[in-house]
PDB file of all heavy atoms in Angstrom:
ATOM      1  N   THR A  34     155.203  88.200  99.224  1.00  0.00           N
ATOM      2  CA  THR A  34     156.270  89.160  99.391  1.00  0.00           C
ATOM      3  C   THR A  34     157.608  88.385  99.357  1.00  0.00           C
ATOM      4  O   THR A  34     157.622  87.193  99.057  1.00  0.00           O
ATOM      5  CB  THR A  34     156.133  89.962 100.679  1.00  0.00           C
ATOM      6  OG1 THR A  34     157.066  91.031 100.740  1.00  0.00           O
ATOM      7  CG2 THR A  34     156.200  89.072 101.904  1.00  0.00           C
ATOM      8  N   THR A  38     161.806  90.714 103.154  1.00  0.00           N
ATOM      9  CA  THR A  38     160.807  91.607 103.758  1.00  0.00           C
ATOM     10  C   THR A  38     160.304  90.934 105.052  1.00  0.00           C
ATOM     11  O   THR A  38     160.118  91.553 106.104  1.00  0.00           O
ATOM     12  CB  THR A  38     159.614  91.884 102.821  1.00  0.00           C
ATOM     13  OG1 THR A  38     160.188  92.573 101.692  1.00  0.00           O
ATOM     14  CG2 THR A  38     158.554  92.658 103.462  1.00  0.00           C
ATOM     15  N   ASP A  67     159.445  83.494 125.041  1.00  0.00           N
ATOM     16  CA  ASP A  67     158.848  84.783 124.701  1.00  0.00           C
ATOM     17  C   ASP A  67     158.101  84.671 123.346  1.00  0.00           C
ATOM     18  O   ASP A  67     157.040  85.287 123.213  1.00  0.00           O
ATOM     19  CB  ASP A  67     159.943  85.884 124.603  1.00  0.00           C
ATOM     20  CG  ASP A  67     160.479  86.259 125.989  1.00  0.00           C
ATOM     21  OD1 ASP A  67     159.765  86.079 126.981  1.00  0.00           O
ATOM     22  OD2 ASP A  67     161.625  86.760 126.104  1.00  0.00           O
ATOM     23  N   ALA A  75     149.515  87.504 119.855  1.00  0.00           N
ATOM     24  CA  ALA A  75     149.333  88.073 118.542  1.00  0.00           C
ATOM     25  C   ALA A  75     148.070  87.537 117.879  1.00  0.00           C
ATOM     26  O   ALA A  75     147.358  88.317 117.178  1.00  0.00           O
ATOM     27  CB  ALA A  75     150.559  87.702 117.642  1.00  0.00           C
ATOM     28  N   THR A  84     137.907  91.908 113.999  1.00  0.00           N
ATOM     29  CA  THR A  84     136.572  92.198 114.479  1.00  0.00           C
ATOM     30  C   THR A  84     136.269  93.690 114.428  1.00  0.00           C
ATOM     31  O   THR A  84     135.222  94.138 113.984  1.00  0.00           O
ATOM     32  CB  THR A  84     136.366  91.684 115.930  1.00  0.00           C
ATOM     33  OG1 THR A  84     136.651  90.292 115.928  1.00  0.00           O
ATOM     34  CG2 THR A  84     134.927  91.880 116.355  1.00  0.00           C
ATOM     35  N   LEU A  89     133.499  98.431 112.283  1.00  0.00           N
ATOM     36  CA  LEU A  89     133.529  99.856 111.973  1.00  0.00           C
ATOM     37  C   LEU A  89     133.542 100.104 110.482  1.00  0.00           C
ATOM     38  O   LEU A  89     133.563 101.261 110.021  1.00  0.00           O
ATOM     39  CB  LEU A  89     134.840 100.467 112.554  1.00  0.00           C
ATOM     40  CG  LEU A  89     134.935 100.421 114.083  1.00  0.00           C
ATOM     41  CD1 LEU A  89     136.166 101.175 114.570  1.00  0.00           C
ATOM     42  CD2 LEU A  89     133.686 101.014 114.736  1.00  0.00           C
ATOM     43  N   ALA A  92     130.712  99.583 105.306  1.00  0.00           N
ATOM     44  CA  ALA A  92     129.802  98.630 104.658  1.00  0.00           C
ATOM     45  C   ALA A  92     129.026  97.797 105.672  1.00  0.00           C
ATOM     46  O   ALA A  92     128.166  97.001 105.228  1.00  0.00           O
ATOM     47  CB  ALA A  92     130.584  97.702 103.732  1.00  0.00           C
ATOM     48  N   VAL A  97     133.943  92.046 102.616  1.00  0.00           N
ATOM     49  CA  VAL A  97     135.029  92.822 102.017  1.00  0.00           C
ATOM     50  C   VAL A  97     136.304  91.970 102.121  1.00  0.00           C
ATOM     51  O   VAL A  97     136.403  91.031 102.888  1.00  0.00           O
ATOM     52  CB  VAL A  97     135.217  94.180 102.703  1.00  0.00           C
ATOM     53  CG1 VAL A  97     133.980  95.058 102.554  1.00  0.00           C
ATOM     54  CG2 VAL A  97     135.578  93.995 104.168  1.00  0.00           C
ATOM     55  N   VAL A 162     130.293  71.920 108.065  1.00  0.00           N
ATOM     56  CA  VAL A 162     128.856  72.097 107.848  1.00  0.00           C
ATOM     57  C   VAL A 162     128.396  71.241 106.665  1.00  0.00           C
ATOM     58  O   VAL A 162     128.907  71.452 105.519  1.00  0.00           O
ATOM     59  CB  VAL A 162     128.522  73.589 107.580  1.00  0.00           C
ATOM     60  CG1 VAL A 162     127.023  73.797 107.335  1.00  0.00           C
ATOM     61  CG2 VAL A 162     128.987  74.461 108.783  1.00  0.00           C
ATOM     62  N   ARG A 169     125.361  58.879  93.407  1.00  0.00           N
ATOM     63  CA  ARG A 169     126.305  58.310  92.433  1.00  0.00           C
ATOM     64  C   ARG A 169     125.573  57.269  91.606  1.00  0.00           C
ATOM     65  O   ARG A 169     124.591  56.639  91.986  1.00  0.00           O
ATOM     66  CB  ARG A 169     127.510  57.757  93.120  1.00  0.00           C
ATOM     67  CG  ARG A 169     128.330  58.819  93.834  1.00  0.00           C
ATOM     68  CD  ARG A 169     129.625  58.194  94.391  1.00  0.00           C
ATOM     69  NE  ARG A 169     129.367  57.278  95.529  1.00  0.00           N
ATOM     70  CZ  ARG A 169     130.271  56.416  96.001  1.00  0.00           C
ATOM     71  NH1 ARG A 169     131.477  56.379  95.482  1.00  0.00           N
ATOM     72  NH2 ARG A 169     129.957  55.645  97.001  1.00  0.00           N
ATOM     73  N   TRP A 195     137.076  47.595  84.999  1.00  0.00           N
ATOM     74  CA  TRP A 195     136.607  48.805  85.710  1.00  0.00           C
ATOM     75  C   TRP A 195     137.629  49.958  85.531  1.00  0.00           C
ATOM     76  O   TRP A 195     138.828  49.752  85.301  1.00  0.00           O
ATOM     77  CB  TRP A 195     136.433  48.550  87.221  1.00  0.00           C
ATOM     78  CG  TRP A 195     135.105  47.897  87.473  1.00  0.00           C
ATOM     79  CD1 TRP A 195     134.734  46.603  87.255  1.00  0.00           C
ATOM     80  CD2 TRP A 195     133.972  48.567  88.054  1.00  0.00           C
ATOM     81  NE1 TRP A 195     133.437  46.428  87.647  1.00  0.00           N
ATOM     82  CE2 TRP A 195     132.906  47.577  88.131  1.00  0.00           C
ATOM     83  CE3 TRP A 195     133.736  49.860  88.508  1.00  0.00           C
ATOM     84  CZ2 TRP A 195     131.683  47.905  88.636  1.00  0.00           C
ATOM     85  CZ3 TRP A 195     132.482  50.143  89.020  1.00  0.00           C
ATOM     86  CH2 TRP A 195     131.447  49.200  89.012  1.00  0.00           C
ATOM     87  N   SER A 199     139.898  56.385  92.450  1.00  0.00           N
ATOM     88  CA  SER A 199     140.618  55.859  93.599  1.00  0.00           C
ATOM     89  C   SER A 199     140.422  56.632  94.900  1.00  0.00           C
ATOM     90  O   SER A 199     140.733  56.087  95.957  1.00  0.00           O
ATOM     91  CB  SER A 199     142.143  55.831  93.249  1.00  0.00           C
ATOM     92  OG  SER A 199     142.613  57.112  92.823  1.00  0.00           O
ATOM     93  N   LEU A 208     127.192  48.290  97.128  1.00  0.00           N
ATOM     94  CA  LEU A 208     125.874  48.779  96.646  1.00  0.00           C
ATOM     95  C   LEU A 208     124.760  48.356  97.590  1.00  0.00           C
ATOM     96  O   LEU A 208     124.872  47.291  98.245  1.00  0.00           O
ATOM     97  CB  LEU A 208     125.521  48.188  95.278  1.00  0.00           C
ATOM     98  CG  LEU A 208     126.567  48.429  94.144  1.00  0.00           C
ATOM     99  CD1 LEU A 208     126.116  47.780  92.872  1.00  0.00           C
ATOM    100  CD2 LEU A 208     126.813  49.954  93.933  1.00  0.00           C
ATOM    101  N   GLU A 216     125.448  44.622  98.967  1.00  0.00           N
ATOM    102  CA  GLU A 216     126.331  43.724  98.189  1.00  0.00           C
ATOM    103  C   GLU A 216     127.700  44.309  98.110  1.00  0.00           C
ATOM    104  O   GLU A 216     127.869  45.537  97.782  1.00  0.00           O
ATOM    105  CB  GLU A 216     125.737  43.544  96.771  1.00  0.00           C
ATOM    106  CG  GLU A 216     124.443  42.767  96.700  1.00  0.00           C
ATOM    107  CD  GLU A 216     124.711  41.229  96.759  1.00  0.00           C
ATOM    108  OE1 GLU A 216     125.871  40.823  96.851  1.00  0.00           O
ATOM    109  OE2 GLU A 216     123.703  40.502  96.746  1.00  0.00           O
ATOM    110  N   THR A 226     142.377  56.410  88.929  1.00  0.00           N
ATOM    111  CA  THR A 226     142.576  57.847  88.765  1.00  0.00           C
ATOM    112  C   THR A 226     141.938  58.558  89.942  1.00  0.00           C
ATOM    113  O   THR A 226     140.937  58.077  90.489  1.00  0.00           O
ATOM    114  CB  THR A 226     142.022  58.350  87.467  1.00  0.00           C
ATOM    115  OG1 THR A 226     142.222  59.771  87.431  1.00  0.00           O
ATOM    116  CG2 THR A 226     140.550  58.046  87.321  1.00  0.00           C
ATOM    117  N   TYR A 230     136.644  63.728  86.241  1.00  0.00           N
ATOM    118  CA  TYR A 230     136.587  63.922  84.780  1.00  0.00           C
ATOM    119  C   TYR A 230     137.181  62.769  84.062  1.00  0.00           C
ATOM    120  O   TYR A 230     136.602  62.207  83.082  1.00  0.00           O
ATOM    121  CB  TYR A 230     137.235  65.220  84.390  1.00  0.00           C
ATOM    122  CG  TYR A 230     136.398  66.485  84.548  1.00  0.00           C
ATOM    123  CD1 TYR A 230     137.014  67.684  84.837  1.00  0.00           C
ATOM    124  CD2 TYR A 230     135.032  66.413  84.418  1.00  0.00           C
ATOM    125  CE1 TYR A 230     136.230  68.847  84.928  1.00  0.00           C
ATOM    126  CE2 TYR A 230     134.279  67.548  84.578  1.00  0.00           C
ATOM    127  CZ  TYR A 230     134.878  68.751  84.862  1.00  0.00           C
ATOM    128  OH  TYR A 230     134.159  69.922  85.010  1.00  0.00           O
ATOM    129  N   ALA A 243     132.226  52.198  85.730  1.00  0.00           N
ATOM    130  CA  ALA A 243     132.716  53.117  86.753  1.00  0.00           C
ATOM    131  C   ALA A 243     131.540  53.550  87.617  1.00  0.00           C
ATOM    132  O   ALA A 243     130.364  53.497  87.210  1.00  0.00           O
ATOM    133  CB  ALA A 243     133.329  54.372  86.037  1.00  0.00           C
ATOM    134  N   GLU A 252     123.472  63.612  81.317  1.00  0.00           N
ATOM    135  CA  GLU A 252     123.263  63.874  79.879  1.00  0.00           C
ATOM    136  C   GLU A 252     123.794  62.695  79.043  1.00  0.00           C
ATOM    137  O   GLU A 252     123.144  62.290  78.025  1.00  0.00           O
ATOM    138  CB  GLU A 252     123.992  65.134  79.469  1.00  0.00           C
ATOM    139  CG  GLU A 252     123.836  65.534  77.987  1.00  0.00           C
ATOM    140  CD  GLU A 252     122.363  65.683  77.576  1.00  0.00           C
ATOM    141  OE1 GLU A 252     121.569  66.149  78.343  1.00  0.00           O
ATOM    142  OE2 GLU A 252     122.048  65.260  76.444  1.00  0.00           O
ATOM    143  N   LEU A 271     127.625  60.794  98.294  1.00  0.00           N
ATOM    144  CA  LEU A 271     128.764  61.430  98.891  1.00  0.00           C
ATOM    145  C   LEU A 271     128.341  62.710  99.663  1.00  0.00           C
ATOM    146  O   LEU A 271     127.676  63.513  99.018  1.00  0.00           O
ATOM    147  CB  LEU A 271     129.837  61.765  97.847  1.00  0.00           C
ATOM    148  CG  LEU A 271     130.380  60.577  97.079  1.00  0.00           C
ATOM    149  CD1 LEU A 271     131.378  61.080  96.047  1.00  0.00           C
ATOM    150  CD2 LEU A 271     131.085  59.588  98.003  1.00  0.00           C
ATOM    151  N   ARG A 295     124.917  77.217 101.764  1.00  0.00           N
ATOM    152  CA  ARG A 295     123.734  76.591 102.328  1.00  0.00           C
ATOM    153  C   ARG A 295     122.513  76.798 101.406  1.00  0.00           C
ATOM    154  O   ARG A 295     121.651  75.908 101.318  1.00  0.00           O
ATOM    155  CB  ARG A 295     123.485  77.182 103.715  1.00  0.00           C
ATOM    156  CG  ARG A 295     124.345  76.588 104.828  1.00  0.00           C
ATOM    157  CD  ARG A 295     124.050  77.291 106.122  1.00  0.00           C
ATOM    158  NE  ARG A 295     124.537  76.554 107.289  1.00  0.00           N
ATOM    159  CZ  ARG A 295     124.844  77.104 108.455  1.00  0.00           C
ATOM    160  NH1 ARG A 295     124.758  78.451 108.609  1.00  0.00           N
ATOM    161  NH2 ARG A 295     125.244  76.354 109.457  1.00  0.00           N
ATOM    162  N   MET A 298     123.542  74.993  97.413  1.00  0.00           N
ATOM    163  CA  MET A 298     124.086  73.673  97.184  1.00  0.00           C
ATOM    164  C   MET A 298     123.037  72.619  97.029  1.00  0.00           C
ATOM    165  O   MET A 298     123.111  71.811  96.019  1.00  0.00           O
ATOM    166  CB  MET A 298     124.999  73.299  98.363  1.00  0.00           C
ATOM    167  CG  MET A 298     125.818  72.002  98.133  1.00  0.00           C
ATOM    168  SD  MET A 298     127.105  72.191  96.845  1.00  0.00           S
ATOM    169  CE  MET A 298     128.273  73.208  97.732  1.00  0.00           C
TER     170      MET A 298
END
Side-chain angles (χ1 to χ4, degrees):
T34 188
T38 298
D67 288 334
T84 303
L89 298 185
V97 298
V162 180
R169 295 186 292 167
W195 277 76
S199 55
L208 305 180
E216 290 280 359
T226 177
Y230 278 150
E252 181 57 36
L271 300 177
R295 279 177 163 156
M298 190 70 72

